[in-house]
């Protein structure tokens, strides 16, 4: 079955980015000239997704406004002859069919994804974590969708993380299949002891799930940090039918982390057709002074 639906969980509290995220959702933090979540929606659309459910909560209404029309602003832009900016602003509201639902309590990523059950129905669907921006020529979500279509199993985006950091991530038991694809048969969330580490491969930012995940989530007890972990539900899929791991191409930026935000800003600014050259010249000027 073709994957046309995506879910973007964006209801986290963003405590690692405080005080910026006290009133502003981290998904709306700007990278150069667009909020992080717009890069994510564009990646989904470029992967063939037509319908997107964004999971929000209190205080995140600004995300809805961003994907809505804005008649007053549009009129002003047209009246002042700013046709290019007008076109860009209007195009944001036409990227996809975008829906919103609130996660009423912040009970974890697994709990957030479970809010998407009625939107998803009985179809496979993509999950794009709202604070992970991935930039690359071949959209990461599309790479996972191809892996799902080829192997018929849920697919997760994976990357090797440093040994010293694996306790902050999930750890996967993997076997190489071909190219950048792996078969994954087990996983553990935030392994605290060295003997719990299955490999340095971790799920980062993207997955394509089968709808049976919802029944599994219904029966998933709170795990690491007292939250309902998506990884715990995915482990059940991995152990029973297996999951495909995709070591996707593309650079991931963690917008839930202050250093990640700075890296995204610098690297994406350097690639910007209007600002890139001037920004590079500025960096060359200040780097020798460091
Ligand atoms: P994170 O664990 O990185 O987000 O979840 P967080 O809880 O905001 O992080 P802290 O507070 O800085 O540690 C990954 C994604 O899942 C969403 C987040 O918005 C983020 O996009 N999420 C997390 C939810 O939608 N609901 C939750 O209950 C938890």
């Amino acid at each position: 079955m073709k994957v046309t639906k995506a879910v973007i969980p964006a209801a986290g509290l963003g405590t690692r980015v405080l005080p910026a995220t006290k009133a502003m959702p981290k998904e709306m933090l700007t990278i150069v000239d667009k909020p992080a979540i717009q890069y994510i929606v564009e990646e989904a659309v470029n992967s063939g997704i037509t319908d997107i459910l964004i999971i929000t909560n209190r205080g995140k209404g600004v995300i809805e406004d961003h994907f809505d029309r804005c008649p007053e602003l549009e009129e002003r832009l047209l009246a002042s002859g700013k046709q290019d900016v007008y076109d860009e602003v209007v195009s944001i509201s036409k990227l996809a069919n975008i829906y919103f639902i609130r996660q009423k309590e912040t009970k974890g990523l697994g709990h957030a994804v479970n809010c998407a059950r009625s939107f998803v129905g009985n179809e496979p669907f993509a999950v794009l974590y709202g604070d992970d921006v991935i930039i690359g020529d071949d959209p990461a979500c599309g790479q996972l969708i191809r892996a799902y279509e080829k192997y018929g199993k849920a697919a997760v985006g994976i990357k090797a993380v440093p040994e010293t950091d694996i306790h902050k991530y999930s750890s996967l038991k993997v076997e190489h299949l071909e190219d950048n694809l792996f078969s994954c048969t087990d996983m553990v969330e935030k392994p605290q002891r060295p003997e719990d580490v299955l490999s340095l491969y971790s799920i980062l930012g993207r997955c394509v799930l089968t709808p049976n995940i919802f029944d599994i989530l219904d029966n998933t007890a709170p795990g690491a940090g007292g939250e309902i972990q998506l990884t715990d539900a995915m482990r059940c899929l991995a152990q029973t039918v297996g999951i495909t791991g995709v070591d996707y191409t593309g650079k991931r930026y963690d917008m839930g982390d202050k250093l990640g935000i700075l890296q995204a800003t610098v690297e994406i600014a350097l690639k910007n057709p209007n600002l890139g050259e001037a920004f590079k010249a500025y960096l060359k000027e200040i780097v020798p002074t460091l």
Side-chain angles (χ1 to χ4, degrees):
M1 192 181 236
K2 218 167 151 1
V3 182
T4 60
K5 289 181 180 173
V7 174
I8 303 181
L13 297 177
T15 54
R16 285 169 295 146
V17 202
L18 282 168
T21 45
K22 188 177 170 204
M24 173 63 81
K26 62 180 165 180
E27 297 79 11
M28 284 300 289
L29 294 175
T30 313
I31 309 176
V32 187
D33 56 359
K34 290 190 278 193
I37 196 162
Q38 189 180 331
Y39 290 89
I40 297 171
V41 167
E42 287 171 350
E43 178 198 323
V45 171
N46 291 334
S47 305
I49 297 294
T50 55
D51 293 80
I52 299 173
L53 178 72
I54 301 180
I55 320 267
T56 64
N57 63 6
R58 285 170 301 283
K60 303 237 181 187
V62 66
I63 300 179
E64 297 183 33
D65 294 344
H66 185 71
F67 292 101
D68 195 2
R69 294 290 293 267
C70 188
E72 274 177 20
L73 173 69
E74 291 167 16
E75 272 168 35
R76 182 69 63 89
L77 290 172
L78 279 183
S80 52
K82 293 184 176 152
Q83 184 71 41
D84 290 358
V85 196
Y86 169 86
D87 291 342
E88 191 174 3
V89 164
V90 172
S91 70
I92 299 169
S93 63
K94 296 184 178 165
L95 282 167
N97 301 317
I98 301 185
Y99 306 81
F100 297 89
I101 193 167
R102 284 186 177 208
Q103 182 191 16
K104 295 189 179 102
E105 288 173 277
T106 313
K107 287 188 179 170
L109 181 58
H111 182 261
V113 169
N114 211 8
C115 298
R117 185 192 269 263
S118 61
F119 165 79
V120 167
N122 200 25
E123 298 178 28
F125 65 106
V127 180
L128 297 91
Y129 299 10
D131 56 355
D132 276 321
V133 169
I134 302 175
I135 303 292
D137 294 334
D138 186 10
C141 177
Q143 296 176 46
L144 266 66
I145 291 174
R146 294 200 295 274
Y148 164 77
E149 285 167 350
K150 182 160 185 192
Y151 288 94
K153 294 177 181 179
V156 289
I158 63 171
K159 288 275 167 206
V161 302
E163 199 171 352
T164 46
D165 287 348
I166 190 70
H167 67 280
K168 295 189 236 162
Y169 296 92
S170 56
S171 169
L172 312 187
K173 185 176 173 193
V174 288
E175 230 172 86
H176 188 232
L177 287 170
E178 53 170 321
D179 303 325
N180 59 344
L181 301 181
F182 295 78
S183 148
C184 167
T185 49
D186 203 358
M187 58 183 74
V188 53
E189 180 67 20
K190 297 189 173 61
Q192 295 305 313
R193 300 173 306 171
E195 58 268 36
D196 296 333
V197 174
L198 303 171
S199 81
L200 295 181
Y201 273 111
S202 183
I203 300 173
L204 289 183
R206 304 287 180 263
C207 48
V208 170
L209 296 172
T210 44
N212 54 347
I213 196 76
F214 295 113
D215 284 342
I216 301 172
L217 279 168
D218 279 345
N219 293 304
T220 300
E227 298 192 326
I228 296 179
Q229 298 288 348
L230 184 59
T231 319
D232 289 341
M234 288 197 284
R235 186 198 309 120
C236 185
L237 280 185
Q239 288 175 340
T240 50
V241 287
I243 283 183
T244 307
V246 183
D247 188 355
Y248 53 82
T249 58
K251 179 90 191 264
R252 168 185 165 269
Y253 300 100
D254 182 359
M255 293 299 290
D257 175 78
K258 291 179 186 180
L259 189 59
I261 297 170
L262 291 172
Q263 288 163 343
T265 304
V266 171
E267 293 183 27
I268 296 173
L270 285 170
K271 291 197 190 111
N272 186 283
N274 300 322
L275 297 165
E277 282 310 312
F279 187 57
K280 193 194 285 179
Y282 167 71
L283 284 185
K284 281 185 173 164
E285 195 184 304
I286 62 158
V287 163
T289 69
L290 300 180

